[in-house]
Amino acid sequence: MRDASILVLATGGTIAGQAGSATRRDYRPGQIDIADFLASFAELGLPARLTGRQVANIDSANIGPEIWRELHSGIDAAIADPRCDGIIITHGTDTAEETAFLLDLTLPTAKPVVLVGAMRPADAVGSDGLRNFANAVQVAADPDAGGRGVLLVMGDQVLAARDARKARTSGSNAFEGFPRGAVALATPASLDWLQPPWRLGEAARYAFPTEFSEVPILHAYAGQGADSVTRLVEAGAKGIVLAGLGEGNAPDAVRAALADAAAAGIVVVRATRVDEGLVDREPADDSNGFVAARALGPAKARILLQVLIANGITEPQLVQQAFNRR
Ligand code: ASP
């Protein structure tokens, strides 16, 4: 069998970061270019032919619509190209969940598409980048990785984009999956799928947004007033994601202001500021015109809402259906 042919789209982050010292704390992400990065893999004898393309070389805090659009069109073309077997995106971990989920919603599932990052720069003691990338190659080279949507490889775990979130600020096991945990375990020498593909042969669920509309995240807190909502409405929000208390709650005044916003046509989604757990629909959601984020945290709920608005889906019942999908 021939080696898999894999396109690597590089965007920067800590996986391409350097500190200039093995112990310094103030490293810079996005320093190593993709040609040099891939050269360091030549001697590992990975079972794949890797072709690199530099899309950006930045901290993922600065990634947004422009780079997302470039990634989307590059991957879409690679999926259609019979010479390409899989795609890897190297990415900073801070916003990896947003990029992974946006691509998951807007690409077909025909071929493996894998995001990978690192928590420690390339020249740090115990750097995880080399290993995470070797694991990502295992995944991207496996045809069985298709039909699972976009995947995120970190710390020997493979997570589905819809489930993945950054749950810890440091350490090589920074990511968690909810409601599914890891869908596979990967090492540079092995790959074990823990469940069958769940999206085989699926076309892109939504068109890639031509415009990303204003959808702020409103963080809930004790003592919060209605003005926190009116400010967002006056600033032209098309949707609001509540990072609510507990199961998507907020003080009464905030709730009332959000119901007014929903009545005025702004799509309001209740998520939670709690690290993990479902926000299910409650009876009052019908009269308030709210949508429950279910298993999606605020950052991913915001991405889905932007995609839905761009696709003309703003009616709360239809928005709810999209949030209910696996
Ligand atoms: N600030 C970095 C980034 O997201 C952190 C990382 O990659 O781990 O680009």
Side-chain angles (χ1 to χ4, degrees):
M1 212 174 71
R2 70 173 175 85
D3 281 349
S5 180
I6 294 171
L7 173 67
V8 183
L9 298 173
T11 68
T14 297
I15 194 165
Q18 270 178 328
S21 142
T23 51
R24 241 173 70 177
R25 224 186 114 65
D26 59 338
Y27 79 95
R28 285 146 289 128
Q31 299 297 305
I32 305 168
D33 72 37
I34 189 62
D36 292 339
F37 184 82
L38 292 183
S40 57
F41 286 91
E43 68 214 35
L44 292 190
L46 296 173
R49 282 175 291 123
L50 304 172
T51 308
R53 189 187 307 160
Q54 195 82 54
V55 173
N57 210 359
I58 57 176
D59 189 315
S60 74
N62 299 317
I63 282 183
E66 211 178 302
I67 289 170
W68 285 335
R69 191 163 291 118
E70 207 174 322
L71 285 174
H72 182 270
S73 65
I75 299 167
D76 213 25
I79 289 174
D81 182 349
R83 291 163 304 180
C84 177
D85 299 305
I87 301 103
I88 294 178
I89 304 126
T90 59
H91 200 288
T93 60
D94 288 348
T95 62
E97 65 185 88
E98 277 129 300
T99 299
F101 190 40
L102 173 65
L103 296 173
D104 183 71
L105 292 168
T106 54
L107 286 168
T109 68
K111 285 182 187 171
V113 179
V114 182
L115 237 90
V116 65
M119 292 298 290
R120 301 184 185 119
D123 54 355
V125 178
S127 170
D128 49 339
L130 207 67
R131 184 179 180 94
N132 288 350
F133 188 81
N135 292 348
V137 170
Q138 284 279 351
V139 179
D142 184 356
D144 221 15
R148 299 169 193 265
V150 174
L151 299 167
L152 181 74
V153 173
M154 284 291 295
D156 291 3
Q157 294 201 93
V158 184
L159 301 167
R162 197 175 182 96
D163 304 325
R165 75 184 191 287
K166 191 171 187 180
R168 279 174 282 279
T169 57
S170 59
S172 57
N173 64 341
F175 279 76
E176 294 286 349
F178 179 81
R180 281 171 296 200
V183 297
L185 300 177
T187 74
S190 66
L191 176 59
D192 291 288
W193 294 104
L194 305 177
Q195 52 179 283
W198 57 95
R199 289 175 56 183
L200 267 180
E202 213 185 81
R205 284 188 172 173
Y206 304 103
F208 189 84
T210 46
E211 197 194 331
F212 286 81
S213 52
E214 183 65 18
V215 176
I217 295 174
L218 176 65
H219 198 95
Y221 50 89
Q224 186 175 19
D227 56 326
S228 62
V229 178
T230 40
R231 271 197 297 271
L232 303 180
V233 173
E234 281 162 15
K238 297 283 180 290
I240 298 174
V241 173
L242 175 72
L245 311 166
E247 265 195 82
N249 298 322
D252 289 347
V254 174
R255 205 174 255 277
L258 286 170
D260 288 346
I266 296 170
V267 194
V268 176
V269 175
R270 293 189 304 111
T272 178
R273 69 177 199 178
V274 175
D275 185 42
E276 187 171 294
L278 285 180
V279 173
D280 265 328
R281 273 192 83 74
E282 57 186 22
D285 284 338
D286 290 338
S287 51
N288 286 330
F290 295 165
V291 173
R294 308 273 293 139
L296 295 180
K300 281 181 290 182
R302 174 175 184 271
I303 292 287
L304 176 54
L305 189 48
Q306 284 184 308
V307 169
L308 294 173
I309 292 172
N311 279 268
I313 301 167
T314 55
E315 205 274 304
Q317 243 182 332
L318 298 177
V319 175
Q320 185 66 66
Q321 277 170 21
F323 275 81
N324 290 347
R325 271 179 107 177
R326 214 156 68 109

